[in-house]
Amino acid sequence: MNVILIDDEPLARSIVREYLQAYPSINIVAECNDGFEGLKAINQYAPDLIFLDIQMPKITGFEMLELIEEPPAVIFTTAFDEYAIKAFESNAVDYLLKPFSRERFDKAIQKYLQQQKPVAPPKTEAVLESAGQSPIQQNRVVVKDGSKIKIIPVLQIQYLEAADDYVKIFTGEGIFLKKKTMGYFEESLQLFQFVRVHRSYIVNTQLITRIDAYEKDSHLLLLSTGAKIPVSKSGYTKLKEVLGI
């Protein structure tokens, strides 16, 4: 059984490493300092289980999980108990609150070993969407751009468009895909004056230059970027409330 330790604290990794010595069938194939390293190691080794911290430099543990197509089972190890309920809702194997004892660690391992088929947390979209409401993740969107990871500040987003199971994110640097729902972005971006003006579109209201009538009960937005966005009847009502017109 192969595992990976992903934590920016060397001491925390050393404790997990020490506790795992009691389990000769479990093999540590990699130790990672951050989510970037963790993502690379997971793709390389395809581990059965990862021990994952949540608050790390560069990208959070939740953001890293969002970027994995077929994630392994996860035991979260973190000092932030505010994320506990989100971790359990995500069907994580367990959640270890630092500092944790050997007894508590053993419980988590036994829980994992008793599961015939551990459930991978990122498959539960609702939990990662809930986790995305943390202050750090509210200010940015993390996406995969080919083999690279790109962090997009929210204020650089021009508009979003639904694309099957993904959402297209339009920025000045290009178009990026994120496997999230439009409902997620509608909720998380409303603090930044983004409005869902159509079933398939969410716009940055700071970029609106004109609103034109268009066919029956619908309108057309013109953004300063030159983009034209359709507005539904209900979307127009929301837009007027936000713009105060």
Side-chain angles (χ1 to χ4, degrees):
M1 185 186 306
N2 293 330
V3 305
I4 292 177
L5 316 185
I6 308 172
D7 197 314
D8 62 307
E9 299 177 8
L11 178 59
R13 294 200 308 272
S14 69
I15 291 173
V16 174
R17 192 188 318 120
E18 177 187 342
Y19 289 171
L20 282 175
Q21 289 178 1
Y23 301 90
S25 65
I26 298 179
N27 178 41
I28 300 174
V29 295
E31 293 189 29
C32 307
N33 290 298
D34 56 53
F36 287 172
E37 291 182 9
L39 185 63
K40 182 178 179 181
I42 290 170
N43 289 333
Q44 180 178 351
Y45 296 105
D48 303 290
L49 172 69
I50 60 175
F51 289 87
L52 179 64
D53 190 13
I54 295 176
Q55 293 285 41
M56 296 184 292
K58 300 180 181 178
I59 60 174
T60 69
F62 286 124
E63 288 171 333
M64 187 204 76
L65 289 177
E66 290 176 350
L67 303 175
I68 305 172
E69 289 295 328
E70 296 183 7
V74 180
I75 293 178
F76 288 102
T77 58
T78 180
F80 295 88
D81 59 355
E82 64 196 83
Y83 295 107
I85 189 168
K86 296 170 185 174
F88 284 124
E89 285 176 350
S90 71
N91 291 323
V93 173
D94 209 340
Y95 180 100
L96 297 174
L97 183 61
K98 299 175 182 175
F100 47 85
S101 65
R102 181 183 293 273
E103 181 182 7
R104 181 64 185 87
F105 180 87
D106 289 341
K107 264 188 180 179
I109 292 294
Q110 291 305 318
K111 187 175 178 183
Y112 168 71
L113 294 176
Q114 288 168 9
Q115 293 183 3
Q116 293 183 348
K117 187 176 180 182
V119 181
K123 297 299 183 182
T124 305
E125 192 70 18
V127 172
L128 288 180
E129 293 192 2
S130 176
Q133 304 309 314
S134 67
I136 290 179
Q137 288 174 243
Q138 281 185 330
N139 293 308
R140 66 193 193 183
V141 178
V142 178
V143 298
K144 287 187 75 174
D145 182 17
S147 60
K148 300 179 181 179
I149 297 174
K150 181 169 181 60
I151 298 175
I152 306 171
V154 162
L155 296 180
Q156 290 184 11
I157 298 174
Q158 298 167 355
Y159 67 96
L160 302 98
E161 180 182 357
D164 296 324
D165 293 334
Y166 291 81
V167 171
K168 288 182 180 178
I169 301 172
F170 290 76
T171 74
E173 295 183 22
I175 304 170
F176 304 93
L177 285 175
K178 181 75 171 178
K179 196 168 185 180
K180 284 288 190 183
T181 64
M182 289 293 281
Y184 164 79
F185 282 113
E186 181 180 14
E187 177 72 21
S188 62
L189 295 180
Q190 62 182 349
L191 296 176
F192 299 90
Q193 296 293 295
F194 281 77
V195 177
R196 188 169 187 175
V197 297
H198 186 278
R199 180 181 179 184
S200 299
Y201 292 92
I202 296 174
V203 300
N204 182 343
T205 58
Q206 302 300 312
L207 300 179
I208 297 174
T209 58
R210 200 170 73 220
I211 306 174
D212 295 333
Y214 182 75
E215 296 184 349
K216 184 180 179 181
D217 293 329
S218 65
H219 292 75
L220 197 65
L221 284 183
L222 180 64
L223 304 186
S224 58
T225 61
K228 294 180 179 179
I229 309 294
V231 182
S232 65
K233 183 178 179 180
S234 60
Y236 185 57
T237 300
K238 293 178 187 176
L239 189 61
K240 287 195 297 181
E241 290 177 359
V242 172
L243 298 179
I245 58 177

